[in-house]
Amino acid sequence: MLGFGISAILLLVGVYFGTRAQKQHIANLESREAALSHIIVTNLKTLPATGNPPQLVTGSVVIAFDYFRRFIATFVMLVGGRITMYEEMLDRARREALLRLLEQADAAGSREVHNVRFEFSRVGSSSQKANIGGGAELLAYGTAVL
Amino acid sequence: MILSNTETIPGYTITHHVGLVQGNTVRAKHVGRDLMAGLKNIVGGELKGYTELLEDARKEATQRMIEEAQAKGANAIVNVRFSTSAITAGASELYVYATGVVLG
């Protein structure tokens, strides 16, 4: 009974703060994306000839797999199908990583970033056991040209 | 030292390949940071401590790769690839590899 109570409290805390943080983060992402929309981003392998040496740029973020999402995911896994919450979470994280890359490119005075690649890897305390937390790192890297 | 994750660099000719250059580092988590990460696992969101840890580690791996390239006489590094793997429960390996070249 006590265990159930703790679980319920953790879930409610997770839902409330998680949802609030998500809304704030999406608003934050949209404004930063708009501010950096002048930078051209591609995953093409060839760079345009500019005469200046290119520069490697990276952006990364480590996100937590939270209690609430893991709880819901456990149920979805019984029947299969889309886990929309994870889709949203990974999408936000990837956008954040790309924005950090663009901010680095922007600081270097670049207007174009090519050959952008994304990497995903599990990190943290429980990387071996997907169902008990831990986190994941999303890395974006590319070449900025001046 | 020019770093790029593309195979060629416009405006420059690769005159000589010095071979594969690489750098790696294995980092363990910090107990304090892991405690914060535990709290974050309730509400979700970014684990800033880990982001910083991995960024530092990646810089170090890249630095080692650059040193190797310099030792081999390269003046540029092309086709850079990053890879991360969790080797045990509390540690990750950051690995970066590329081709060292001499640009003419």
Side-chain angles (χ1 to χ4, degrees):
Chain A
M1 194 63 207
L2 182 68
F4 178 75
I6 291 171
S7 298
I9 289 167
L10 287 180
L11 273 182
L12 287 174
V13 167
V15 174
Y16 178 70
F17 288 101
T19 315
R20 204 173 67 165
Q22 173 157 323
K23 276 184 191 150
Q24 284 172 353
H25 189 219
I26 289 174
N28 175 279
L29 284 174
E30 277 166 2
S31 68
R32 282 157 71 207
E33 275 168 358
L36 291 166
S37 59
H38 59 280
I39 300 179
I40 299 166
V41 188
T42 77
N43 64 350
L44 300 174
K45 276 186 171 180
T46 46
L47 301 176
T50 56
N52 291 317
Q55 194 187 332
L56 193 71
V57 285
T58 59
S60 70
V61 61
V62 179
I63 49 164
F65 288 111
D66 61 89
Y67 192 80
F68 171 64
R69 287 191 172 84
R70 294 201 310 276
F71 183 82
I72 298 295
T74 319
F75 283 99
V76 179
M77 278 169 201
L78 294 175
V79 290
R82 287 178 67 177
I83 309 179
T84 328
M85 283 179 316
Y86 276 138
E87 288 177 358
E88 275 166 15
M89 186 174 87
L90 290 171
D91 178 58
R92 277 197 292 144
R94 212 163 267 131
R95 281 164 75 185
E96 179 71 40
L98 184 63
L99 272 171
R100 288 180 185 179
L101 174 147
L102 291 179
E103 278 160 4
Q104 209 180 342
D106 193 50
S110 170
R111 292 287 169 272
E112 286 176 51
V113 183
H114 298 281
N115 205 16
V116 173
R117 306 271 165 139
F118 290 98
E119 288 280 334
F120 173 94
S121 58
R122 302 260 348 203
V123 291
S125 50
S126 327
S127 44
Q128 257 69 14
K129 299 169 202 158
N131 59 334
I132 54 161
E137 190 201 28
L138 283 145
L139 165 72
Y141 61 104
T143 302
V145 292
L146 294 161
Chain B
M1 185 68 72
I2 298 172
L3 264 80
S4 168
N5 70 338
T6 55
E7 286 162 26
T8 53
I9 295 170
Y12 296 87
T13 319
I14 294 171
T15 55
H16 182 59
H17 282 85
V18 304
L20 193 72
V21 289
Q22 54 194 343
N24 81 331
T25 176
V26 177
R27 290 291 178 99
K29 64 185 172 136
H30 180 287
V31 178
R33 278 171 169 164
D34 213 43
L35 198 71
M36 278 306 294
L39 293 178
K40 274 282 186 177
N41 274 330
I42 296 168
V43 294
E46 183 182 355
L47 304 172
K48 289 203 176 69
Y50 281 142
T51 306
E52 282 163 23
L53 183 81
L54 291 178
E55 255 169 39
D56 282 354
R58 192 164 286 118
K59 273 185 197 141
E60 192 184 316
T62 309
Q63 194 53 43
R64 286 185 187 169
M65 179 180 76
I66 292 171
E67 279 162 18
E68 190 188 332
Q70 279 167 343
K72 286 181 172 175
N75 64 3
I77 300 173
V78 295
N79 214 12
V80 176
R81 294 285 180 270
F82 289 103
S83 139
T84 313
S85 43
I87 46 170
T88 68
S92 287
E93 187 204 28
L94 285 289
Y95 181 57
V96 53
Y97 59 106
T99 304
V101 294
V102 179
L103 295 178

